[in-house]
Amino acid sequence: GIPPASPKEKDVLQERDVPFLETKHLSWKTNGVTIIKDISVRIEQESIVAIIGPSGAGKSSFLRLLNRLSEPTAGQVCFQGRDYRELSPRTLRQRLGMVMQLPHLFPGTVTYNLRFGPRQFGKELSSADIQKLLAEVGLKDYANRDVSSLSVGEAQRVSLARTLANSPHGLLLDEPTSALDEDTEREVEALICRIIAEERLTCLIVTHDTAQARRMADHAIRIVDGAKADFGPIEEVLDAK
């Protein structure tokens, strides 16, 4: 695999004014039905973009295309200035970590889950690395816990830590708090915002909650019937009639 870009390389990318992600006429058709229609959008480095719109509009489908969980049927995705097909899907997913609505953890311990991704690239996380990741997500003493004993909120934090273990450049979040109760939702949301700021990550988050979009994001894409209906600063998009 291709090694991750160093912080210095990240700074060079930013100086070159290369967008973090860019879609050009991105479309996706399945079983004869066009789900994503001709979306062109430019996501700048270190921005947090909410993907909003009605249920069934194609928000999650759009996010999956960015991570190559689905392959576009037309158009192009550029990641940090390169056609993302130049990277292996595994390398792309290491750099562009995804957290789903429901945490899907591997059977076994929390430590096993955190070590899994880096091992794919020949890197072994030390116990200190594990402790640091778990402290970051507020699960300090959870290293040896079996994932079957975790609450949904704890499992979602482990899912986030597992993504961070790969040292991603950006996060794709698909309604990461919608399965949580209100208190846990706000805790995990605050945690995500803090990590994004500290790590200088770029983030796209699918959310059906406009209040959450306002709290977390600086820009928004509104998708309606699979097409980009609006894109711009969060307040402008949310307040547009």
mmCIF file of all heavy atoms in Angstrom, residues 89-120:
data_model
loop_
_atom_site.group_PDB
_atom_site.id
_atom_site.type_symbol
_atom_site.label_atom_id
_atom_site.label_comp_id
_atom_site.label_asym_id
_atom_site.label_seq_id
_atom_site.Cartn_x
_atom_site.Cartn_y
_atom_site.Cartn_z
ATOM 1 N N PRO A 89 -8.537 0.720 -3.105
ATOM 2 C CA PRO A 89 -9.642 1.022 -2.193
ATOM 3 C C PRO A 89 -9.192 0.984 -0.724
ATOM 4 O O PRO A 89 -9.631 1.809 0.078
ATOM 5 C CB PRO A 89 -10.666 -0.070 -2.495
ATOM 6 C CG PRO A 89 -10.424 -0.412 -3.931
ATOM 7 C CD PRO A 89 -8.932 -0.301 -4.109
ATOM 8 N N ARG A 90 -8.299 0.062 -0.399
ATOM 9 C CA ARG A 90 -7.848 -0.066 0.988
ATOM 10 C C ARG A 90 -7.078 1.172 1.442
ATOM 11 O O ARG A 90 -7.282 1.683 2.551
ATOM 12 C CB ARG A 90 -6.974 -1.323 1.127
ATOM 13 C CG ARG A 90 -6.720 -1.709 2.572
ATOM 14 C CD ARG A 90 -6.098 -3.067 2.672
ATOM 15 N NE ARG A 90 -4.705 -3.051 2.229
ATOM 16 C CZ ARG A 90 -3.863 -4.062 2.413
ATOM 17 N NH1 ARG A 90 -4.277 -5.172 2.990
ATOM 18 N NH2 ARG A 90 -2.618 -3.987 2.003
ATOM 19 N N THR A 91 -6.204 1.691 0.555
ATOM 20 C CA THR A 91 -5.449 2.906 0.894
ATOM 21 C C THR A 91 -6.389 4.100 0.992
ATOM 22 O O THR A 91 -6.274 4.927 1.909
ATOM 23 C CB THR A 91 -4.354 3.165 -0.159
ATOM 24 O OG1 THR A 91 -3.461 2.064 -0.169
ATOM 25 C CG2 THR A 91 -3.573 4.429 0.152
ATOM 26 N N LEU A 92 -7.333 4.198 0.066
ATOM 27 C CA LEU A 92 -8.307 5.293 0.111
ATOM 28 C C LEU A 92 -9.058 5.272 1.439
ATOM 29 O O LEU A 92 -9.223 6.304 2.091
ATOM 30 C CB LEU A 92 -9.291 5.156 -1.058
ATOM 31 C CG LEU A 92 -10.414 6.205 -1.075
ATOM 32 C CD1 LEU A 92 -9.885 7.578 -1.451
ATOM 33 C CD2 LEU A 92 -11.527 5.783 -2.026
ATOM 34 N N ARG A 93 -9.502 4.074 1.856
ATOM 35 C CA ARG A 93 -10.312 3.966 3.090
ATOM 36 C C ARG A 93 -9.482 4.192 4.343
ATOM 37 O O ARG A 93 -10.016 4.556 5.380
ATOM 38 C CB ARG A 93 -11.004 2.607 3.129
ATOM 39 C CG ARG A 93 -12.111 2.524 2.101
ATOM 40 C CD ARG A 93 -12.695 1.145 1.971
ATOM 41 N NE ARG A 93 -13.442 1.069 0.721
ATOM 42 C CZ ARG A 93 -13.600 -0.036 0.018
ATOM 43 N NH1 ARG A 93 -13.058 -1.169 0.439
ATOM 44 N NH2 ARG A 93 -14.273 -0.014 -1.104
ATOM 45 N N GLN A 94 -8.169 3.960 4.229
ATOM 46 C CA GLN A 94 -7.289 4.278 5.363
ATOM 47 C C GLN A 94 -7.227 5.803 5.528
ATOM 48 O O GLN A 94 -7.264 6.321 6.646
ATOM 49 C CB GLN A 94 -5.896 3.704 5.102
ATOM 50 C CG GLN A 94 -4.878 4.078 6.180
ATOM 51 C CD GLN A 94 -3.489 4.259 5.619
ATOM 52 O OE1 GLN A 94 -3.262 4.205 4.410
ATOM 53 N NE2 GLN A 94 -2.541 4.487 6.495
ATOM 54 N N ARG A 95 -7.129 6.515 4.419
ATOM 55 C CA ARG A 95 -6.969 7.978 4.459
ATOM 56 C C ARG A 95 -8.293 8.696 4.672
ATOM 57 O O ARG A 95 -8.325 9.827 5.146
ATOM 58 C CB ARG A 95 -6.333 8.462 3.157
ATOM 59 C CG ARG A 95 -4.931 7.932 2.987
ATOM 60 C CD ARG A 95 -4.275 8.510 1.773
ATOM 61 N NE ARG A 95 -2.931 7.979 1.600
ATOM 62 C CZ ARG A 95 -2.103 8.364 0.653
ATOM 63 N NH1 ARG A 95 -2.480 9.278 -0.214
ATOM 64 N NH2 ARG A 95 -0.904 7.841 0.550
ATOM 65 N N LEU A 96 -9.366 8.043 4.270
ATOM 66 C CA LEU A 96 -10.699 8.631 4.340
ATOM 67 C C LEU A 96 -11.553 7.685 5.181
ATOM 68 O O LEU A 96 -12.270 6.847 4.667
ATOM 69 C CB LEU A 96 -11.236 8.752 2.909
ATOM 70 C CG LEU A 96 -12.280 9.790 2.579
ATOM 71 C CD1 LEU A 96 -11.903 11.163 3.090
ATOM 72 C CD2 LEU A 96 -12.522 9.833 1.083
ATOM 73 N N GLY A 97 -11.425 7.818 6.507
ATOM 74 C CA GLY A 97 -12.071 6.867 7.417
ATOM 75 C C GLY A 97 -13.575 7.056 7.452
ATOM 76 O O GLY A 97 -14.074 8.184 7.385
ATOM 77 N N MET A 98 -14.301 5.949 7.559
ATOM 78 C CA MET A 98 -15.763 6.026 7.564
ATOM 79 C C MET A 98 -16.327 5.465 8.855
ATOM 80 O O MET A 98 -15.902 4.410 9.317
ATOM 81 C CB MET A 98 -16.330 5.271 6.366
ATOM 82 C CG MET A 98 -17.799 5.543 6.125
ATOM 83 S SD MET A 98 -18.236 5.121 4.419
ATOM 84 C CE MET A 98 -19.927 5.672 4.358
ATOM 85 N N VAL A 99 -17.275 6.191 9.431
ATOM 86 C CA VAL A 99 -17.990 5.724 10.626
ATOM 87 C C VAL A 99 -19.471 5.656 10.264
ATOM 88 O O VAL A 99 -20.061 6.639 9.819
ATOM 89 C CB VAL A 99 -17.767 6.666 11.825
ATOM 90 C CG1 VAL A 99 -18.568 6.193 13.041
ATOM 91 C CG2 VAL A 99 -16.278 6.747 12.176
ATOM 92 N N MET A 100 -20.044 4.450 10.440
ATOM 93 C CA MET A 100 -21.434 4.216 10.036
ATOM 94 C C MET A 100 -22.403 4.579 11.163
ATOM 95 O O MET A 100 -22.027 4.802 12.301
ATOM 96 C CB MET A 100 -21.622 2.735 9.692
ATOM 97 C CG MET A 100 -20.679 2.221 8.621
ATOM 98 S SD MET A 100 -21.145 2.852 7.006
ATOM 99 C CE MET A 100 -20.269 1.706 5.942
ATOM 100 N N GLN A 101 -23.678 4.531 10.802
ATOM 101 C CA GLN A 101 -24.758 4.809 11.750
ATOM 102 C C GLN A 101 -24.750 3.792 12.898
ATOM 103 O O GLN A 101 -24.892 4.156 14.056
ATOM 104 C CB GLN A 101 -26.059 4.706 10.954
ATOM 105 C CG GLN A 101 -27.290 5.106 11.684
ATOM 106 C CD GLN A 101 -28.492 5.122 10.751
ATOM 107 O OE1 GLN A 101 -28.385 4.883 9.552
ATOM 108 N NE2 GLN A 101 -29.640 5.394 11.300
ATOM 109 N N LEU A 102 -24.602 2.521 12.567
ATOM 110 C CA LEU A 102 -24.515 1.476 13.589
ATOM 111 C C LEU A 102 -23.095 0.944 13.598
ATOM 112 O O LEU A 102 -22.552 0.602 12.544
ATOM 113 C CB LEU A 102 -25.495 0.335 13.283
ATOM 114 C CG LEU A 102 -26.962 0.656 13.536
ATOM 115 C CD1 LEU A 102 -27.852 -0.435 12.960
ATOM 116 C CD2 LEU A 102 -27.233 0.818 15.035
ATOM 117 N N PRO A 103 -22.465 0.855 14.782
ATOM 118 C CA PRO A 103 -21.082 0.373 14.837
ATOM 119 C C PRO A 103 -20.994 -1.110 14.464
ATOM 120 O O PRO A 103 -21.747 -1.918 15.001
ATOM 121 C CB PRO A 103 -20.676 0.598 16.294
ATOM 122 C CG PRO A 103 -21.957 0.742 17.052
ATOM 123 C CD PRO A 103 -22.990 1.235 16.096
ATOM 124 N N HIS A 104 -20.134 -1.437 13.507
ATOM 125 C CA HIS A 104 -19.902 -2.836 13.125
ATOM 126 C C HIS A 104 -18.496 -3.196 13.580
ATOM 127 O O HIS A 104 -17.521 -2.904 12.893
ATOM 128 C CB HIS A 104 -20.036 -3.010 11.603
ATOM 129 C CG HIS A 104 -21.419 -2.736 11.101
ATOM 130 N ND1 HIS A 104 -22.470 -3.594 11.325
ATOM 131 C CD2 HIS A 104 -21.928 -1.683 10.421
ATOM 132 C CE1 HIS A 104 -23.570 -3.083 10.782
ATOM 133 N NE2 HIS A 104 -23.266 -1.918 10.237
ATOM 134 N N LEU A 105 -18.403 -3.807 14.751
ATOM 135 C CA LEU A 105 -17.085 -4.161 15.296
ATOM 136 C C LEU A 105 -16.798 -5.626 15.029
ATOM 137 O O LEU A 105 -17.708 -6.442 14.873
ATOM 138 C CB LEU A 105 -17.051 -3.876 16.801
ATOM 139 C CG LEU A 105 -17.286 -2.408 17.196
ATOM 140 C CD1 LEU A 105 -17.332 -2.271 18.708
ATOM 141 C CD2 LEU A 105 -16.215 -1.500 16.614
ATOM 142 N N PHE A 106 -15.496 -5.964 14.959
ATOM 143 C CA PHE A 106 -15.099 -7.363 14.795
ATOM 144 C C PHE A 106 -15.239 -8.070 16.141
ATOM 145 O O PHE A 106 -14.972 -7.467 17.189
ATOM 146 C CB PHE A 106 -13.642 -7.458 14.330
ATOM 147 C CG PHE A 106 -13.343 -6.653 13.098
ATOM 148 C CD1 PHE A 106 -12.375 -5.656 13.117
ATOM 149 C CD2 PHE A 106 -14.024 -6.882 11.913
ATOM 150 C CE1 PHE A 106 -12.104 -4.899 11.982
ATOM 151 C CE2 PHE A 106 -13.755 -6.138 10.780
ATOM 152 C CZ PHE A 106 -12.799 -5.148 10.810
ATOM 153 N N PRO A 107 -15.623 -9.355 16.157
ATOM 154 C CA PRO A 107 -15.682 -10.082 17.423
ATOM 155 C C PRO A 107 -14.310 -10.095 18.094
ATOM 156 O O PRO A 107 -13.287 -10.165 17.421
ATOM 157 C CB PRO A 107 -16.084 -11.507 16.994
ATOM 158 C CG PRO A 107 -16.687 -11.354 15.638
ATOM 159 C CD PRO A 107 -15.991 -10.186 14.999
ATOM 160 N N GLY A 108 -14.304 -9.979 19.421
ATOM 161 C CA GLY A 108 -13.043 -9.984 20.154
ATOM 162 C C GLY A 108 -12.929 -8.760 21.041
ATOM 163 O O GLY A 108 -13.934 -8.122 21.371
ATOM 164 N N THR A 109 -11.715 -8.406 21.375
ATOM 165 C CA THR A 109 -11.507 -7.298 22.309
ATOM 166 C C THR A 109 -11.471 -5.957 21.580
ATOM 167 O O THR A 109 -11.311 -5.893 20.356
ATOM 168 C CB THR A 109 -10.167 -7.459 23.059
ATOM 169 O OG1 THR A 109 -9.107 -7.395 22.094
ATOM 170 C CG2 THR A 109 -10.099 -8.758 23.843
ATOM 171 N N VAL A 110 -11.568 -4.912 22.370
ATOM 172 C CA VAL A 110 -11.425 -3.549 21.852
ATOM 173 C C VAL A 110 -10.037 -3.380 21.225
ATOM 174 O O VAL A 110 -9.895 -2.834 20.130
ATOM 175 C CB VAL A 110 -11.660 -2.527 22.993
ATOM 176 C CG1 VAL A 110 -11.261 -1.128 22.565
ATOM 177 C CG2 VAL A 110 -13.118 -2.568 23.441
ATOM 178 N N THR A 111 -8.990 -3.892 21.914
ATOM 179 C CA THR A 111 -7.621 -3.790 21.389
ATOM 180 C C THR A 111 -7.499 -4.451 20.020
ATOM 181 O O THR A 111 -6.896 -3.889 19.092
ATOM 182 C CB THR A 111 -6.615 -4.420 22.378
ATOM 183 O OG1 THR A 111 -6.576 -3.595 23.545
ATOM 184 C CG2 THR A 111 -5.216 -4.510 21.787
ATOM 185 N N TYR A 112 -8.088 -5.645 19.868
ATOM 186 C CA TYR A 112 -8.036 -6.344 18.572
ATOM 187 C C TYR A 112 -8.621 -5.457 17.479
ATOM 188 O O TYR A 112 -8.073 -5.338 16.374
ATOM 189 C CB TYR A 112 -8.795 -7.670 18.649
ATOM 190 C CG TYR A 112 -8.927 -8.353 17.307
ATOM 191 C CD1 TYR A 112 -7.841 -9.015 16.734
ATOM 192 C CD2 TYR A 112 -10.116 -8.288 16.580
ATOM 193 C CE1 TYR A 112 -7.939 -9.607 15.479
ATOM 194 C CE2 TYR A 112 -10.224 -8.872 15.332
ATOM 195 C CZ TYR A 112 -9.139 -9.527 14.789
ATOM 196 O OH TYR A 112 -9.241 -10.101 13.541
ATOM 197 N N ASN A 113 -9.744 -4.801 17.790
ATOM 198 C CA ASN A 113 -10.390 -3.929 16.801
ATOM 199 C C ASN A 113 -9.505 -2.747 16.415
ATOM 200 O O ASN A 113 -9.416 -2.397 15.241
ATOM 201 C CB ASN A 113 -11.732 -3.428 17.351
ATOM 202 C CG ASN A 113 -12.867 -4.386 17.043
ATOM 203 O OD1 ASN A 113 -13.521 -4.256 16.017
ATOM 204 N ND2 ASN A 113 -13.070 -5.358 17.912
ATOM 205 N N LEU A 114 -8.842 -2.149 17.402
ATOM 206 C CA LEU A 114 -8.013 -0.971 17.109
ATOM 207 C C LEU A 114 -6.758 -1.347 16.331
ATOM 208 O O LEU A 114 -6.268 -0.558 15.519
ATOM 209 C CB LEU A 114 -7.621 -0.245 18.396
ATOM 210 C CG LEU A 114 -8.763 0.320 19.262
ATOM 211 C CD1 LEU A 114 -8.229 1.306 20.284
ATOM 212 C CD2 LEU A 114 -9.837 0.994 18.435
ATOM 213 N N ARG A 115 -6.244 -2.537 16.580
ATOM 214 C CA ARG A 115 -5.006 -2.948 15.877
ATOM 215 C C ARG A 115 -5.265 -3.441 14.461
ATOM 216 O O ARG A 115 -4.343 -3.511 13.650
ATOM 217 C CB ARG A 115 -4.302 -4.061 16.682
ATOM 218 C CG ARG A 115 -3.578 -3.521 17.904
ATOM 219 C CD ARG A 115 -2.718 -4.569 18.583
ATOM 220 N NE ARG A 115 -1.873 -3.937 19.585
ATOM 221 C CZ ARG A 115 -1.572 -4.470 20.765
ATOM 222 N NH1 ARG A 115 -2.040 -5.665 21.097
ATOM 223 N NH2 ARG A 115 -0.798 -3.826 21.611
ATOM 224 N N PHE A 116 -6.509 -3.768 14.158
ATOM 225 C CA PHE A 116 -6.818 -4.435 12.895
ATOM 226 C C PHE A 116 -6.391 -3.615 11.673
ATOM 227 O O PHE A 116 -5.681 -4.110 10.796
ATOM 228 C CB PHE A 116 -8.321 -4.746 12.812
ATOM 229 C CG PHE A 116 -8.687 -5.519 11.580
ATOM 230 C CD1 PHE A 116 -8.613 -6.903 11.573
ATOM 231 C CD2 PHE A 116 -9.063 -4.866 10.409
ATOM 232 C CE1 PHE A 116 -8.926 -7.626 10.424
ATOM 233 C CE2 PHE A 116 -9.365 -5.584 9.257
ATOM 234 C CZ PHE A 116 -9.300 -6.963 9.266
ATOM 235 N N GLY A 117 -6.801 -2.338 11.609
ATOM 236 C CA GLY A 117 -6.509 -1.506 10.423
ATOM 237 C C GLY A 117 -5.024 -1.300 10.188
ATOM 238 O O GLY A 117 -4.511 -1.606 9.096
ATOM 239 N N PRO A 118 -4.297 -0.801 11.206
ATOM 240 C CA PRO A 118 -2.862 -0.591 11.008
ATOM 241 C C PRO A 118 -2.111 -1.871 10.615
ATOM 242 O O PRO A 118 -1.145 -1.809 9.841
ATOM 243 C CB PRO A 118 -2.394 -0.061 12.380
ATOM 244 C CG PRO A 118 -3.603 0.624 12.931
ATOM 245 C CD PRO A 118 -4.763 -0.227 12.483
ATOM 246 N N ARG A 119 -2.578 -3.035 11.110
ATOM 247 C CA ARG A 119 -1.915 -4.304 10.744
ATOM 248 C C ARG A 119 -1.987 -4.570 9.241
ATOM 249 O O ARG A 119 -1.100 -5.223 8.682
ATOM 250 C CB ARG A 119 -2.569 -5.476 11.498
ATOM 251 C CG ARG A 119 -1.994 -5.672 12.879
ATOM 252 C CD ARG A 119 -2.651 -6.835 13.609
ATOM 253 N NE ARG A 119 -2.042 -7.003 14.926
ATOM 254 C CZ ARG A 119 -2.604 -7.628 15.944
ATOM 255 N NH1 ARG A 119 -3.810 -8.157 15.810
ATOM 256 N NH2 ARG A 119 -1.978 -7.745 17.099
ATOM 257 N N GLN A 120 -3.041 -4.067 8.586
ATOM 258 C CA GLN A 120 -3.171 -4.263 7.137
ATOM 259 C C GLN A 120 -2.038 -3.550 6.390
ATOM 260 O O GLN A 120 -1.744 -3.853 5.241
ATOM 261 C CB GLN A 120 -4.521 -3.750 6.615
ATOM 262 C CG GLN A 120 -5.741 -4.240 7.373
ATOM 263 C CD GLN A 120 -5.785 -5.749 7.527
ATOM 264 O OE1 GLN A 120 -5.752 -6.479 6.537
ATOM 265 N NE2 GLN A 120 -5.827 -6.231 8.757
#
